[in-house]
């Protein structure tokens, strides 16, 4: 029997999890958890997201809480370290220490090429042999991207594994690919998950790698259907969820047919404390069920106005769902 709105709201726990470092301008990450027959699901669209943009996040949370998983294809998921847009070298060194054994680092860029190059240099100082991924979140123009990618490649060489979403739109990505003079792979994130219909777009000549984030894409089944449809290599990444959402991302990574790249599923390390501990061992995380620590849930639980805000948000988004 499918989970109902009333059942979800009856089990709802809303949390404010403190972060160890500022990421995406956040020091506190708010999220909502609810329980179904299969366990906990997480609904964590960022607070500025519209109800319509939040709908896939709700579908993913319902699927996680309500549906049993198919057998996994692998147990251990290699991950990358994630470095926010900081130019404090001591902070960068500390953040890298939270990811023992990783050989790949994703670096947020787009704050200015000088600052970006300094951030990359700081990472390389501490992990000189690590593969480098840069994430631009679509903030460059095509002209800026052409220039900046060359500047970054001159510093990293072939250790530059890919550039994620350097420009915003599909047409801009195609223009960029046509104009590039260096052999650097382009990964697409927002171009897929922000598309009105991600099955209707053609990614040919635009990207080389597909980013799959289980929550914003609507769950494991839909993410796998998108991967099958677009027939590109994939990287499984997080959307800064708690350990509940990360566990579901790990479940996706354990089930995609091919996993050729490290995954961005180590972001639990960015939290001061999470609802469960997800250890990183030798640059990898085990894809398993991590039990929720109810003492921590109670410690970081929100009541009153914020609880009501999330209850109302879930109710509105739930009403956008199509009948099964």
């Amino acid at each position: 029997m499918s989970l109902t709105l009333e059942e979800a709201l009856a089990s709802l726990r809303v949390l404010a999890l403190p972060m160890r470092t500022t990421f995406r301008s956040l020091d506190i990450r708010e999220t909502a958890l609810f329980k179904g027959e299969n366990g906990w699901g997480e609904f964590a669209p960022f607070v500025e997201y519209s109800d319509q943009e939040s709908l896939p996040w709700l579908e993913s949370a319902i699927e996680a809480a309500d549906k049993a998983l198919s057998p996994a294809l692998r147990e251990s998921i290699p991950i990358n370290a994630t470095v926010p847009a900081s130019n404090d070298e001591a902070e960068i060194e500390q953040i890298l220490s939270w990811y023992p054994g990783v050989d790949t680092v994703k670096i947020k860029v787009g704050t200015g090429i000088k600052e970006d190059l300094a951030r990359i240099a700081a990472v390389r100082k501490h992990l000189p042999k690590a593969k480098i991924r840069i994430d631009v979140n679509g903030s460059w123009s095509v002209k800026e991207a052409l220039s900046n990618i060359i500047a970054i490649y001159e510093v990293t060489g072939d250790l530059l594994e890919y550039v994620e979403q350097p420009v915003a739109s599909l047409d801009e990505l195609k223009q960029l690919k046509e104009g590039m003079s260096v052999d650097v792979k382009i990964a697409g994130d927002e171009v897929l998950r922000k598309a009105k219909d991600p099955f209707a777009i053609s990614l040919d000549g635009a990207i080389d790698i597909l980013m799959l984030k289980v929550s914003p894409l609507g769950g494991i089944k839909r993410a796998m259907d998108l991967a099958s449809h677009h027939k590109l290599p994939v990287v499984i990444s997080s959307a800064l969820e708690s350990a509940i959402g990360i566990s579901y991302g790990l479940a996706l990574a354990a089930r995609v047919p091919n996993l050729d790249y490290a995954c961005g599923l180590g972001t639990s390390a960015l939290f001061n404390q999470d609802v469960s501990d997800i250890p990183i061992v030798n640059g990898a995380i085990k894809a398993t069920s991590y039990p929720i620590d109810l003492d921590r849930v109670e410690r970081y639980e929100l009541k009153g106005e914020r609880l009501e805000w999330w209850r109302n948000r879930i109710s509105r988004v739930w009403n956008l769902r199509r009948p099964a």
Side-chain angles (χ1 to χ4, degrees):
M1 200 167 156
S2 295
L3 183 72
T4 67
L5 172 59
E6 291 72 23
E7 289 168 336
L9 293 178
S11 63
L12 181 65
R13 313 293 288 267
V14 175
L15 310 181
L17 296 172
M19 302 191 65
R20 296 163 97 176
T21 184
T22 300
F23 189 84
R24 207 182 174 276
S25 301
L26 295 174
D27 297 308
I28 299 288
R29 179 68 164 114
E30 287 193 6
T31 184
L33 310 176
F34 54 75
K35 199 171 186 181
E37 285 189 8
N38 196 54
W40 290 94
E42 178 165 11
F43 177 66
F46 296 100
V47 295
E48 69 271 18
Y49 282 13
S50 70
D51 291 350
Q52 191 64 51
E53 189 171 0
S54 301
L55 180 56
W57 298 69
L58 182 63
E59 297 291 2
S60 179
I62 293 169
E63 182 190 75
D66 214 32
K67 306 294 182 188
L69 293 168
S70 62
L73 301 177
R74 58 191 67 84
E75 293 182 355
S76 182
I77 309 300
I79 63 158
N80 62 247
T82 301
V83 172
S86 168
N87 279 102
D88 183 326
E89 188 174 324
E91 182 183 25
I92 289 171
E93 181 180 12
Q94 183 181 44
I95 290 168
L96 293 173
S97 74
W98 302 340
Y99 295 91
V102 299
D103 65 2
T104 307
V105 182
K106 173 176 170 175
I107 306 170
K108 290 284 187 179
V109 300
T111 55
I113 191 59
K114 269 186 160 182
E115 292 84 357
D116 295 340
L117 290 172
R119 192 173 309 120
I120 293 166
V123 169
R124 297 201 65 218
K125 177 180 176 181
H126 299 289
L127 289 178
K129 296 181 180 179
K131 295 185 284 291
I132 299 295
R133 304 168 168 181
I134 63 168
D135 184 7
V136 192
N137 291 118
S139 65
W140 289 338
S141 68
V142 173
K143 183 179 179 181
E144 287 170 332
L146 288 168
S147 171
N148 292 345
I149 289 171
I150 289 172
I152 290 169
Y153 184 77
E154 286 175 351
V155 171
T156 62
D158 291 339
L159 288 174
L160 182 58
E161 190 173 39
Y162 61 72
V163 179
E164 182 179 334
Q165 201 69 47
V167 293
S169 72
L170 185 60
D171 286 344
E172 287 174 320
L173 285 165
K174 291 179 179 180
Q175 290 174 41
L176 175 62
K177 287 287 284 182
E178 287 175 2
M180 283 177 61
S181 59
V182 291
D183 185 17
V184 174
K185 287 183 169 62
I186 302 297
D189 175 12
E190 288 90 345
V191 69
L192 183 76
R193 63 182 174 87
K194 290 185 177 288
K196 187 173 181 181
D197 181 354
F199 289 96
I201 60 174
S202 171
L203 298 173
D204 294 344
I207 64 172
D208 307 291
I209 298 166
L210 197 59
M211 304 297 299
L212 296 179
K213 295 181 177 180
V214 68
S215 294
L217 289 177
I220 287 178
K221 182 183 184 303
R222 191 163 183 262
M224 291 184 69
D225 287 348
L226 283 164
S228 176
H229 176 79
H230 288 291
K231 297 179 173 60
L232 287 169
V234 300
V235 172
I236 315 301
S237 194
S238 80
L240 203 62
E241 304 100 327
S242 78
I244 299 299
I246 293 294
S247 295
Y248 210 50
L250 289 165
L252 170 60
R255 286 162 177 79
V256 292
N258 299 300
L259 192 68
D260 300 321
Y261 293 91
C263 295
L265 293 169
T267 51
S268 185
L270 300 175
F271 288 98
N272 190 48
Q273 194 168 65
D274 206 337
V275 297
S276 185
D277 293 325
I278 302 184
I280 300 167
V281 180
N282 296 326
I285 294 175
K286 192 173 181 182
T288 188
S289 177
Y290 293 93
I292 191 168
D293 186 326
L294 290 175
D295 287 339
R296 295 183 190 177
V297 170
E298 290 176 4
R299 186 178 311 151
Y300 298 113
E301 193 166 10
L302 295 175
K303 303 287 188 179
E305 183 182 338
R306 291 312 296 165
L307 172 61
E308 195 62 25
W309 188 90
W310 280 94
R311 284 178 62 88
N312 290 336
R313 187 186 202 191
I314 290 169
S315 298
R316 292 195 312 270
V317 177
W318 200 291
N319 288 330
L320 296 176
R321 300 178 71 214
R322 294 177 181 174

